[in-house]
Amino acid sequence: MQTLEPTPKAAAGFVPRLLGAAGAGLDINAEDLRWQLALRIAASGSLGRSQLLSDFLLYIVDRSIRGRSGEITEQQIGVSVFGRPEDYNSNDDNIVRSYARKLRKRIDEYFATEGGGETLRLEIPRGGYTPIFSDHVAISPKIDDKGATPKAADAPEYETSKPVASEGSENASHVVSSTWQKLAGRFRVTPGMLLTLLIGFLLGAGSMFLRQSRLIVSREEAASHVLWAQLFSSNRDTFIVPSDDGLVIMQRLVERPVPLSAYVNGSYRTKLKADNLPDAAEILKLGARRYTNVVDLDFATHLGQLREVVPARMMIRYARDLRMDDLRTGNAILIGSDESNPWIELFRPQLHFCFRFDSDQDKPSGFVNLYPRSGEAAIYATKGQEERTYGIIAYVPNLSKTGHVLIVAGLNTAGTQAAAAFLLDPSSMMPTLQRARMGHGDLQPFELLVGAGNVATNASTPHIVMERIGLPQGR
């Protein structure tokens, strides 16, 4: 499966980190402080897990140091770093802009954490990709001869209160009484002041109660929290990937599926041209459109409102812009089906239910039950708009088994809607999540086949048809 990854080209003199030791063979002075800084950032915890981000950074710094800023363009970065063909259209493919936003965030994160002591800083201004270097002087407090930080000249001095030594309750009462008399002598307490103080106290207590009540969740919500907390984390990106409905339209017109390998490198478009199909140009235009559906967008919106979400780490990525590297280093939520989101194909070996698309109307598309048990059907399909539909919810490891991937797929938009609605309902999910929870608290892989009525492409109340805990045997 790793052969599907587009290999960055080693353009003249540029050796990406994945192709050799960092800096080896480059025609750059190894003592160049700018290059040393770029290498530290590329190998840092902020970028170190993302090969493509590191290659992106090293490429633009390499070109900047060599005085070849003319090659730091969106088109050339797409070709040299992301393996795009020379004639690719950057207006239709925003992979470079998408990764540039991510790279800027990771550079800021580096200087805010492990790179806080760097005296040289690097930034990529918005609107371009040429890096800018600047000196940074850390301001440290002055230390006097005794090794202490002096107090500000205008800082008021406060006398430390001393404990009152009392012998019994009479002395203590006397101290309290005298203190109250002194305060009463200074301030005139009126009934209005007492009422104001009482109202303020009640408002403060009420506000504290409301804040605490937000932390109180039901058993059902607590079970779902475990799932979402593993998918959204502060140390790993989470990619939400809606379906590519432009691809679906194209596949229906040519009556053939597009495999992931052809989808990643764009060769399915070249093949379509070579076949000289009628209206091939118009079909290609439809396939290039960035269409998705309302069901996927609604689901993505609900995901973004979960309290476990880490906003800086959540990214909505169109299926055509996702890279293999994202599924190795991050978490992901893939929405759709093999037909509309080919990335799901990567995880087929880990699934119990597999999507089958067939253009032959006599052989309906459906979910194939790869390992049927007694009494179970071999395929769960739907015909027409007035019958049943199905969706799956699959929780599996990412490609490197360091993170998690959640697949929410349906036979059609109604099937995806049914799966999403079931997933977002804590009471529906709780039994499965409890069974999938391991002794140390984390969740093991699980998969659900969800069924629902399909009325005019809308799903009725979803319910579980089948449940699988754990990966298929031997996986």
Side-chain angles (χ1 to χ4, degrees):
M1 292 191 181
Q2 294 182 353
T3 58
L4 300 177
E5 178 72 357
T7 303
K9 300 178 181 179
F14 172 64
V15 181
R17 186 162 63 96
L18 75 163
L19 297 182
L26 293 174
D27 187 22
I28 293 179
N29 183 355
E31 302 300 320
D32 191 302
L33 298 180
R34 296 168 297 176
W35 183 246
Q36 290 182 0
L37 174 62
L39 291 177
R40 286 195 295 274
I41 298 174
S44 69
S46 301
L47 266 72
R49 289 188 295 270
S50 178
Q51 203 162 273
L52 285 174
L53 283 178
S54 297
D55 292 342
F56 192 161
L57 174 64
L58 295 180
Y59 174 83
I60 61 176
V61 172
D62 173 273
R63 290 299 185 263
S64 177
I65 293 176
R66 293 168 184 274
R68 293 160 62 177
S69 297
E71 298 176 27
I72 308 178
T73 64
E74 182 176 359
Q75 186 76 19
Q76 195 56 49
I77 294 170
V79 173
S80 300
V81 177
F82 296 98
R84 292 299 196 258
E86 295 284 349
D87 61 346
Y88 94 101
N89 188 339
S90 59
N91 290 324
D92 293 334
D93 188 340
N94 70 346
I95 185 68
V96 176
R97 297 190 295 277
S98 179
Y99 267 83
R101 288 192 294 270
K102 186 176 177 182
L103 180 57
R104 291 186 184 100
K105 288 182 180 179
R106 296 296 168 264
I107 291 174
D108 290 342
E109 180 182 302
Y110 172 78
F111 287 118
T113 54
E114 55 192 301
E118 296 279 8
T119 57
L120 183 65
R121 295 296 170 100
L122 180 158
E123 64 175 318
I124 306 171
R126 297 186 182 279
Y129 305 102
T130 302
I132 293 179
F133 295 88
S134 59
D135 292 326
H136 175 79
V137 179
I139 300 177
S140 57
K142 295 181 179 180
I143 307 299
D144 61 17
D145 295 338
K146 298 180 180 179
T149 303
K151 298 179 182 178
D154 57 347
E157 294 288 342
Y158 292 95
E159 197 172 273
T160 305
S161 60
K162 298 180 181 180
V164 178
S166 63
E167 297 179 3
S169 58
E170 291 185 2
N171 287 342
S173 300
H174 175 73
V175 171
V176 172
S177 175
S178 60
T179 302
W180 173 251
Q181 289 174 0
K182 290 179 181 179
L183 289 174
R186 293 183 183 181
F187 303 103
R188 184 180 177 183
V189 180
T190 65
M193 291 176 63
L194 290 175
L195 180 61
T196 301
L197 289 172
L198 179 60
I199 292 173
F201 173 77
L202 292 175
L203 288 175
S207 175
M208 182 178 296
F209 175 79
L210 288 175
R211 285 198 300 269
Q212 292 296 326
S213 65
R214 292 175 187 169
L215 302 177
I216 301 173
V217 296
S218 64
R219 292 175 59 243
E220 292 84 355
E221 290 174 321
S224 287
H225 169 74
V226 177
L227 171 64
W228 300 124
Q230 289 185 200
L231 282 164
F232 296 101
S233 105
S234 59
N235 60 2
R236 195 182 302 277
D237 291 331
T238 300
F239 299 94
I240 298 177
V241 189
S243 60
D244 182 347
D245 284 11
L247 177 68
V248 175
I249 295 172
M250 193 194 79
Q251 289 177 113
R252 296 291 173 86
L253 290 174
V254 300
E255 296 185 344
R256 78 172 72 129
V258 173
L260 178 61
S261 56
Y263 186 68
V264 170
N265 59 32
S267 62
Y268 68 97
R269 300 178 186 177
T270 307
K271 181 73 166 63
L272 195 60
K273 292 178 182 177
D275 288 346
N276 293 320
L277 291 172
D279 301 320
E282 294 302 318
I283 294 175
L284 282 174
K285 286 182 182 178
L286 285 172
R289 300 291 185 188
R290 291 176 175 268
Y291 293 137
T292 192
N293 60 72
V294 175
V295 168
D296 290 17
L297 293 179
D298 182 66
F299 180 41
T301 300
H302 279 84
L303 290 173
Q305 295 172 349
L306 294 171
R307 63 191 179 95
E308 293 83 2
V309 165
V310 181
R313 287 291 195 174
M314 189 192 85
M315 301 183 185
I316 297 181
R317 184 68 52 83
Y318 196 64
R320 211 174 300 159
D321 299 330
L322 194 70
R323 309 311 319 150
M324 199 82 69
D325 188 53
D326 299 331
L327 296 175
R328 276 199 290 262
T329 62
N331 297 326
I333 300 176
L334 305 179
I335 311 170
S337 66
D338 287 19
E339 185 186 20
S340 63
N341 199 333
W343 293 104
I344 295 175
E345 182 184 323
L346 282 174
F347 301 94
R348 185 176 292 179
Q350 303 181 49
L351 300 179
H352 294 269
F353 309 110
C354 170
F355 180 80
R356 185 186 76 182
F357 168 72
D358 201 320
S359 58
D360 187 348
Q361 296 299 319
D362 295 331
K363 297 179 180 179
S365 301
F367 284 111
V368 177
N369 186 1
L370 297 174
Y371 311 98
R373 299 173 182 175
S374 177
E376 296 178 347
I379 184 170
Y380 291 82
T382 181
K383 287 184 178 180
Q385 295 184 343
E386 300 296 332
E387 299 184 6
R388 301 199 60 71
T389 187
Y390 298 94
I392 63 167
I393 301 169
Y395 180 73
V396 297
N398 68 0
L399 295 182
S400 64
K401 294 182 173 53
T402 58
H404 311 282
V405 172
L406 182 67
I407 298 170
V408 182
L411 296 181
N412 45 34
T413 54
T416 302
Q417 184 182 44
F422 192 92
L423 176 67
L424 293 173
D425 180 18
S427 60
S428 297
M429 287 295 299
M430 186 177 72
T432 297
L433 295 175
Q434 287 180 332
R435 284 188 285 270
R437 191 164 184 174
M438 296 181 286
H440 51 71
D442 289 345
L443 296 174
Q444 61 180 308
F446 65 85
E447 192 170 351
L448 298 175
L449 179 66
V450 176
N454 180 12
V455 181
T457 71
N458 289 287
S460 62
T461 305
H463 64 277
I464 288 183
V465 177
M466 282 187 289
E467 175 191 88
R468 298 287 189 267
I469 303 296
L471 298 173
Q473 288 188 349
R475 300 297 178 184

